[in-house]
Amino acid sequence: MNEKRMLRLLSQVDEAYILEASPCRSQRTGLQRRRTIRRAVVIAAAILLLAITTALAIGVRFDFAAWISGALPDPEPAYIQEQLEEGQWVSLNGGQVAVIVPESPVRLLLSSDGGETWRETVITESRDMFFLGAYQEDMQYQGGYVGFNGQDGYLVLTSGISMNHQALRIFLTADGGETWREIGTPYDQHISVLTGAGFASQEVGFISYRYFEDAGPDIWRTTDGGETWSRLEIELPEEYQGGHFTPLSPSFDGLDGVYPIEILAGDETERIICLYSRDGGLTWSFSPDQAAE
């Protein structure tokens, strides 16, 4: 897949696939605002991917378009955009850009100026992993979530899925991605399929799971940097009860957080509801006006 092919695919992305979290951020400004955000995301993604394929070919000899074609099982425009929406593989936060390269060990390509210049960091500890009762050398990860909130960043790597089983590893950085450290995960307490991840700080982070044993939302949280994990208890308003809930990836801007959750109703219709936080993920509310100040 060359640069022109990538640009053409992204230009065909249906608006229905654009950034499921954006309705959370734009509920107060109406449909026109949502459409503006959606179009902007498509354009930004297209420019970003095109810039990466050209700039990195010279800088670090990495062809992002070829990687997309080989690493993603179905490189259709909707699928590529869906991966971006969920925070998988690529993170865009203002001028901060992070791209996961799923090699062994995993590499991250980082930019702090919107893709003008790039630097590379290698997660050396990611090469090997104890997985499914055996020591796996040259581990090949099948998914990844990455994001930054200022200088604090997170990287969540996931294995493939088998019988609702998916392993994960979590790495954090406090210096903009220069160095990374691995922390504990909820894996020993809870095994299911990941649907999102996000960290508000070095201490507070979230792992989202697909509903399985109950209707969900199945969210696990740490408030001590991965030392301990527990399920986030959410009191659902009456109008939301009776559906099945799939939490996605939370995003944070300073202390402000948005947590999109997909509802599958009994009539098979889908919608997105949103949790809001004003204190870095410590408390959440379904109303942005009621979130703790």
Side-chain angles (χ1 to χ4, degrees):
M1 186 191 305
N2 58 30
E3 291 90 341
K4 291 182 179 179
R5 165 72 170 160
M6 175 66 70
L7 191 59
R8 186 175 67 81
L9 285 176
L10 286 170
S11 69
Q12 297 171 356
V13 173
D14 192 305
E15 285 191 355
Y17 289 88
I18 305 304
L19 199 59
E20 294 289 31
S22 64
C24 302
R25 299 191 183 98
S26 57
Q27 281 176 342
R28 294 186 231 179
T29 53
L31 179 60
Q32 184 175 3
R33 170 66 173 161
R34 287 198 292 273
R35 287 175 176 171
T36 300
I37 292 175
R38 289 170 175 173
R39 292 191 186 101
V41 172
V42 172
I43 295 171
I47 293 174
L48 168 69
L49 295 184
L50 184 60
I52 290 175
T53 57
T54 55
L56 295 185
I58 299 174
V60 291
R61 300 183 303 279
F62 175 63
D63 186 344
F64 187 69
W67 168 74
I68 282 282
S69 180
L72 300 184
D74 182 12
E76 289 301 310
Y79 185 85
I80 295 172
Q81 188 63 41
E82 189 174 14
Q83 297 282 297
L84 296 175
E85 292 158 15
E86 295 173 354
Q88 293 195 64
W89 309 115
V90 179
S91 167
L92 302 93
N93 184 10
Q96 286 184 301
V97 185
V99 181
I100 301 174
V101 185
E103 298 177 346
S104 184
V106 169
R107 292 191 292 135
L108 283 180
L109 304 175
L110 305 171
S111 175
S112 58
D113 54 15
E116 291 294 325
T117 59
W118 294 88
R119 54 194 170 89
E120 175 184 319
T121 184
V122 179
I123 316 300
T124 55
E125 295 85 355
S126 66
R127 182 187 299 276
D128 305 321
M129 179 181 181
F130 190 78
F131 177 55
L132 294 179
Y135 189 71
Q136 304 284 339
E137 296 183 353
D138 295 325
M139 180 68 182
Q140 298 297 315
Y141 299 96
Q142 301 301 309
Y145 298 89
V146 61
F148 283 86
N149 187 13
Q151 289 293 99
D152 289 335
Y154 64 90
L155 171 65
V156 178
L157 302 175
T158 61
S159 71
I161 300 171
S162 176
M163 299 180 66
N164 207 61
H165 178 283
Q166 189 172 35
L168 73 155
R169 301 177 76 175
I170 304 174
F171 298 86
L172 299 182
T173 180
D175 55 14
E178 292 296 326
T179 59
W180 296 80
R181 61 185 179 90
E182 188 168 10
I183 67 169
T185 77
Y187 185 72
D188 290 338
Q189 300 169 258
H190 187 64
I191 298 176
S192 190
V193 176
L194 272 70
T195 55
F199 273 72
S201 65
Q202 292 288 296
E203 291 77 31
V204 181
F206 302 85
I207 298 296
S208 305
Y209 290 99
R210 185 173 65 192
Y211 66 85
F212 178 60
E213 295 180 348
D214 56 40
D218 193 356
I219 300 172
W220 284 67
R221 177 176 68 175
T222 181
T223 58
D224 54 15
E227 291 294 325
T228 60
W229 290 83
S230 60
R231 183 163 177 170
L232 180 66
E233 299 299 329
I234 297 174
E235 184 176 349
L236 292 170
E238 183 176 352
E239 62 266 31
Y240 296 153
Q241 295 179 8
H244 291 82
F245 300 84
T246 300
L248 305 176
S249 291
S251 59
F252 294 89
D253 182 7
L255 295 178
D256 292 341
V258 180
Y259 213 134
I261 300 174
E262 185 180 84
I263 298 180
L264 178 62
D267 59 0
E268 298 300 314
T269 59
E270 294 183 355
R271 60 179 296 196
I272 295 290
I273 60 174
C274 306
L275 285 168
Y276 300 88
S277 177
R278 296 291 182 263
D279 55 9
L282 296 179
T283 60
W284 295 88
S285 170
F286 282 104
S287 169
D289 297 324
Q290 295 177 1
E293 296 291 343

